[in-house]
C-alpha cells in the first residue's frame, strides 16, 4: 500500500468527485489548536467553552458537590495548582453551527478517514447523531479509534514518509434516521475490477436480502461501472454503498485495500484469487441464515480500522469464524 492510496480515501479528497451520488456533507478544515486539544491527555477531560452555551450532556443531573475535587481553595496561593481554563474555539463553533443548520439540524461527524463510533456510548442517545458543536466535540474527544487518523494513518504504507497528514478535516454528514443497516454493502475492487460484495452489517440475519440479492448485485455492478471505475484512481480499494428504497446507490466511504480495512464475509487472500480470467466475476456474500451470523463483529471499534493483518488477533478470529461457518454449512448439508 502506498501513501497516495491512503490519501485518496480521505473524505475531503473523494467527496467532491462523488458529491452527486453520496449523502449531503459539509467539510471544515480543523485548526491545529483543535487537533492538539484532541490529542492532549495530560489533564482532566474538559470540553470547550461553548459560545452558544450548549451542553453536550443536557440530561445529566448537575451536582455541585462533585466539582469540589477540582476546586482550589482561595487561600492556597500556589499558582501551579490553579486549573487551566477550558479551551474555546469560537470561530470553528460558529462554522459548525451553520453547517448543522444547513444539513437539517442533525449530523454525524467524521475525520479524514474514520468516525468516532467507539464513543457513541457516551452520547445521551447512544448514537453518533449530533445537533451541536459540544456534542460533536464530546464524541471526538472521547474516541480512542480516532488516534488512527491522528497518528497512525500511514503505518501500513511501504513508502511511509509521513507520520500524519498535513491537515485534518471534520466532515459533517446529514443524519438520516430512516437508514436501514441491512442495505449497506462493502464492495471490493482489485486491479480496477469489482471482485466482491459483502453485507456490511454481519451480526444479523436479514431474510429480505435473500429475496433481493440478485437485484442488489446488478444495481451495484452497474453503479460501479457508471460512477466509480473511471473516477477513483487506485487499482485496489474498497468502497461502501447504501441502496435506497427506490433502488438508487449512495457512496458512503472509500477505504484502502487490506491493512486496517475489514474484509467482513471474505478474507483478503480469497478476494485476490477471485479475479480469475473472467473480468466480470463478482462474489456477492450475505448472511444467508442465522448460523452465518458473526456476533463477534459487533464491536465498539469502527469496522474500518480493526487490525486484521496476518498474525493479528482479529485475523485469527476471522479465520476461526470462517472454519466454524464452513463446518456448520457442511453439517446442515449432510443432514438435509
Amino acid at each position: 500500500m502506498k501513501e497516495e492510496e491512503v490519501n485518496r480515501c480521505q473524505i475531503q479528497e473523494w467527496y467532491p468527485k462523488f458529491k452527486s451520488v453520496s449523502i449531503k456533507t459539509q467539510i471544515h478544515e480543523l485548526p491545529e489548536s483543535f487537533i492538539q486539544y484532541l490529542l492532549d491527555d495530560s489533564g482532566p477531560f474538559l470540553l470547550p467553552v461553548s459560545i452558544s452555551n450548549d451542553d453536550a450532556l443536557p440530561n445529566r443531573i448537575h451536582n455541585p458537590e462533585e466539582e469540589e475535587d477540582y476546586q482550589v481553595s482561595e487561600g492556597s496561593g500556589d499558582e501551579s495548582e490553579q486549573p487551566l481554563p477550558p479551551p474555546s474555539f469560537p470561530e470553528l463553533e460558529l462554522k459548525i453551527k451553520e453547517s448543522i443548520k444547513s444539513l437539517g439540524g442533525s449530523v454525524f461527524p467524521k475525520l479524514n478517514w474514520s468516525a468516532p463510533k467507539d464513543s457513541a456510548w457516551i452520547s445521551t442517545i447512544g448514537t453518533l447523531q449530533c445537533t451541536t458543536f459540544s456534542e460533536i466535540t464530546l464524541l471526538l474527544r472521547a474516541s480512542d479509534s480516532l488516534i488512527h487518523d491522528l497518528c497512525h494513518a500511514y503505518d501500513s504504507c511501504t513508502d511511509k514518509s509521513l507520520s500524519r497528514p498535513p491537515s485534518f478535516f471534520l466532515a459533517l454528514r446529514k443524519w438520516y434516521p430512516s437508514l436501514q443497516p441491512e442495505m449497506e454493502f462493502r464492495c471490493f475492487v482489485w486491479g480496477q475490477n469489482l471482485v466482491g460484495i459483502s453485507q456490511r452489517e454481519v451480526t444479523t440475519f436479514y431474510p429480505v436480502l435473500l429475496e433481493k440479492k440478485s437485484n442488489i448485485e446488478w444495481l451495484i455492478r452497474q453503479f460501479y461501472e457508471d460512477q466509480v471505475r473511471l473516477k477513483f484512481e487506485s487499482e485496489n480499494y474498497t468502497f461502501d454503498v447504501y441502496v435506497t428504497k427506490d433502488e438508487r446507490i449512495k457512496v458512503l466511504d472509500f477505504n484502502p485495500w487490506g491493512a486496517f480495512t475489514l474484509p467482513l464475509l471474505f478474507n483478503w487472500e480469497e478476494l485476490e484469487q477471485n479475479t480469475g480470467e473472467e473480468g466480470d466475476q463478482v462474489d456477492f456474500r450475505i448472511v444467508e441464515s442465522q448460523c452465518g451470523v458473526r456476533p463477534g463483529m459487533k464491536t465498539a471499534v469502527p469496522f474500518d480500522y480493526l487490525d486484521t493483518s496476518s498474525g493479528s488477533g482479529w485475523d485469527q478470529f476471522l479465520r476461526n469464524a470462517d472454519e466454524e461457518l464452513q463446518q456448520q454449512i457442511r453439517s446442515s448439508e449432510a443432514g438435509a
Side-chain angles (χ1 to χ4, degrees):
M1 183 192 306
K2 304 291 186 181
E3 282 186 355
E4 64 179 8
E5 296 175 295
V6 175
N7 286 334
R8 289 190 192 111
C9 295
Q10 297 179 98
I11 190 167
Q12 77 275 7
E13 295 294 329
W14 66 260
Y15 180 76
K17 296 180 182 179
F18 295 92
K19 181 178 180 179
S20 64
V21 290
S22 188
I23 62 177
K24 293 181 180 180
T25 303
Q26 296 277 340
I27 300 175
H28 298 277
E29 184 171 358
L30 293 172
E32 184 62 27
S33 58
F34 188 79
I35 300 304
Q36 294 306 313
Y37 161 72
L38 295 180
L39 288 170
D40 183 19
D41 60 357
S42 61
F45 190 108
L46 295 176
L47 289 176
V49 174
S50 171
I51 58 175
S52 303
N53 293 320
D54 293 324
D55 190 342
L57 298 169
N59 296 324
R60 63 181 171 175
I61 299 174
H62 180 67
N63 185 357
E65 294 181 0
E66 294 179 353
E67 298 179 359
E68 292 182 359
D69 291 340
Y70 302 99
Q71 302 283 342
V72 177
S73 61
E74 294 182 3
S76 169
D78 187 350
E79 296 182 359
S80 65
E81 295 182 10
Q82 294 294 331
L84 293 175
S88 181
F89 306 96
E91 293 183 8
L92 179 62
E93 181 176 354
L94 287 174
K95 291 178 181 177
I96 288 177
K97 184 176 182 179
E98 186 62 32
S99 289
I100 293 174
K101 181 179 178 181
S102 70
L103 291 170
S106 293
V107 300
F108 70 92
K110 178 185 178 77
L111 291 191
N112 297 32
W113 292 277
S114 55
K117 295 179 183 178
D118 63 321
S119 58
W121 63 271
I122 204 171
S123 164
T124 55
I125 55 176
T127 73
L128 297 186
Q129 181 183 6
C130 297
T131 59
T132 67
F133 173 72
S134 295
E135 291 174 348
I136 291 170
T137 305
L138 175 65
L139 292 178
L140 299 179
R141 187 70 171 83
S143 175
D144 289 327
S145 66
L146 291 187
I147 296 299
H148 169 272
D149 285 28
L150 299 174
C151 304
H152 302 292
Y154 301 107
D155 284 2
S156 298
C157 295
T158 56
D159 62 342
K160 180 181 177 182
S161 62
L162 300 171
S163 59
R164 49 160 280 180
S167 300
F168 287 99
F169 293 82
L170 174 65
L172 303 177
R173 317 208 74 186
K174 182 178 176 64
W175 180 264
Y176 293 94
S178 61
L179 291 186
Q180 300 172 302
E182 67 270 24
M183 299 310 292
E184 185 178 352
F185 302 91
R186 171 154 293 173
C187 308
F188 300 86
V189 177
W190 178 259
Q192 292 194 330
N193 290 315
L194 182 63
V195 297
I197 304 171
S198 172
Q199 177 180 331
R200 184 73 167 79
E201 209 289 278
V202 297
T203 68
T204 306
F205 166 54
Y206 297 102
V208 67
L209 292 182
L210 295 174
E211 307 169 13
K212 297 183 176 183
K213 183 178 179 182
S214 296
N215 187 48
I216 290 173
E217 178 180 345
W218 183 84
L219 290 171
I220 292 176
R221 292 177 67 161
Q222 287 297 117
F223 179 80
Y224 172 70
E225 289 297 326
D226 296 342
Q227 300 289 345
V228 179
R229 189 171 65 86
L230 297 179
K231 290 184 181 179
F232 200 78
E233 299 174 351
S234 294
E235 291 281 325
N236 312 314
Y237 58 94
T238 75
F239 65 99
D240 295 342
V241 299
Y242 182 81
V243 182
T244 67
K245 291 181 179 179
D246 57 357
E247 299 189 342
R248 290 177 295 127
I249 305 293
K250 296 289 185 179
V251 175
L252 300 179
D253 206 2
F254 284 87
N255 287 294
W257 183 275
F260 298 104
T261 307
L262 223 94
L264 300 175
L265 295 175
F266 294 95
N267 62 58
W268 294 113
E269 291 80 3
E270 62 186 346
L271 282 166
E272 293 173 6
Q273 295 169 1
N274 195 34
T275 53
E277 296 182 359
E278 299 181 20
D280 61 348
Q281 181 179 357
V282 178
D283 189 353
F284 185 13
R285 296 186 182 182
I286 61 174
V287 176
E288 299 189 353
S289 71
Q290 200 64 41
C291 293
V293 168
R294 296 190 176 186
M297 299 288 279
K298 186 177 284 293
T299 170
V301 182
F303 288 145
D304 299 347
Y305 299 108
L306 283 172
D307 181 7
T308 57
S309 59
S310 179
S312 69
W314 274 99
D315 172 61
Q316 189 59 49
F317 168 80
L318 293 174
R319 291 178 185 276
N320 293 342
D322 279 327
E323 293 174 4
E324 182 178 348
L325 176 60
Q326 294 305 318
Q327 290 176 359
Q328 292 175 349
I329 294 174
R330 286 194 293 270
S331 297
S332 62
E333 291 176 346

